[in-house]
Amino acid sequence: GAVVSQHPSWVICKSGTSVKIECRSLDFQATTMFWYRQFPKQSLMLMATSNEGSKATYEQGVEKDKFLINHASLTLSTLTVTSAHPEDSSFYICSARDPGRNTDTQYFGPGTRLTVL
Amino acid sequence: QQQVKQSPQSLIVQKGGISIINCAYENTAFDYFPWYQQFPGKGPALLIAIRPDVSEKKEGRFTISFNKSAKQFSLHIMDSQPGDSATYFCAASRPGYALNFGKGTSLLVTP
């Protein structure tokens, strides 16, 4: 139980293009999802908190116009990296809470490797 | 600033030995303390978690020790195996908020 999936698992794009990453909770409804970014050999950095039906809350220093987050349903949140540049290349990981199981536990997706050429 | 401080940065343990990773926090509002295991190219997987009203929790070979007064908690991996070689992250959160992660510990268990 409490499975979170991400799609795609990896993506390569040209500089200036936009990329959309999907995060789905497969067997539970997630009112809250989180998006993290992780650079090689570093920890997870929280980018934003996404609540279903409302605007995402972004962490300080994260450009909300560049990283568009949409949480349109209780099982799907999307992260769109707009006008991607090589410095946006990173490992993007989403997580979700299952309020029916434990309101604190965050279950993580497998991650999406983004490479911007 | 790093709200959860983790040490050591890397650790090498022989097969069958005990791996110990330590974390410290400052925010007394934190009330949930999980440990995650991450393999290269994968998302973190929850190993074990504890709340401040418990001083120790054991699940299989994994044990969390929690010292509320010292604001410290640690992960012990008993009978460490090569398959345990991964990066381990401690984390902490307060109700309704996202997890704050430590910087991670790269564990290598040698045969």
Side-chain angles (χ1 to χ4, degrees):
Chain A
V3 178
V4 177
S5 71
Q6 279 184 244
H7 178 80
S9 56
W10 59 269
V11 57
I12 301 173
C13 69
K14 292 182 178 180
S15 185
T17 61
S18 294
V19 174
K20 180 185 283 188
I21 303 170
E22 292 185 348
C23 176
R24 294 182 184 272
S25 56
L26 297 186
D27 54 356
F28 64 98
Q29 294 183 327
T31 52
T32 304
M33 290 184 170
F34 306 90
W35 286 95
Y36 291 82
R37 182 164 58 180
Q38 185 178 35
F39 292 106
K41 299 190 182 301
Q42 292 190 22
S43 187
L44 289 82
M45 292 172 40
L46 180 66
M47 299 176 66
T49 300
S50 166
N51 291 296
E52 186 266 338
S54 63
K55 290 184 179 180
T57 302
Y58 291 81
E59 294 299 299
Q60 191 173 10
V62 177
E63 300 175 58
K64 60 182 178 182
D65 293 332
K66 181 171 185 61
F67 299 100
L68 301 179
I69 291 173
N70 185 290
H71 193 160
S73 79
L74 288 171
T75 59
L76 173 64
S77 176
T78 60
L79 167 67
T80 301
V81 184
T82 62
S83 186
H85 291 284
E87 56 267 29
D88 298 324
S89 298
S90 188
F91 193 50
Y92 291 87
I93 315 173
C94 70
S95 71
R97 285 199 173 122
D98 179 358
R101 191 188 301 261
N102 180 313
T103 56
D104 291 307
T105 301
Q106 286 181 223
Y107 299 96
F108 284 83
T112 297
R113 173 76 58 193
L114 170 64
T115 302
V116 184
L117 302 177
Chain B
Q1 85 228 34
Q2 198 77 25
Q3 295 202 48
V4 181
K5 296 183 179 179
Q6 183 172 346
S7 63
Q9 185 175 346
S10 62
L11 182 61
I12 301 175
V13 173
Q14 281 196 330
K15 179 182 176 180
I18 303 174
S19 304
I20 302 175
I21 306 171
N22 301 298
C23 284
Y25 64 98
E26 287 297 325
N27 192 339
T28 54
F30 289 153
D31 72 345
Y32 178 68
F33 304 88
W35 284 89
Y36 284 84
Q37 178 189 58
Q38 185 180 32
F39 292 102
K42 305 293 184 184
L46 177 67
L47 267 180
I48 186 171
I50 199 168
R51 294 196 183 274
D53 55 345
V54 177
S55 61
E56 185 174 283
K57 184 175 180 180
K58 183 176 181 179
E59 289 184 3
R61 296 186 294 112
F62 301 95
T63 300
I64 298 181
S65 296
F66 188 86
N67 186 327
K68 186 175 181 179
S69 60
K71 291 184 284 186
Q72 295 176 347
F73 58 110
S74 61
L75 175 70
H76 292 62
I77 305 175
M78 313 299 287
D79 186 27
S80 298
Q81 299 297 312
D84 297 331
S85 298
T87 301
Y88 293 81
F89 292 97
C90 63
S93 68
R94 50 193 175 113
Y97 288 82
L99 289 168
N100 296 275
F101 283 89
K103 288 191 172 183
T105 296
S106 177
L107 171 65
L108 176 64
V109 181
T110 59

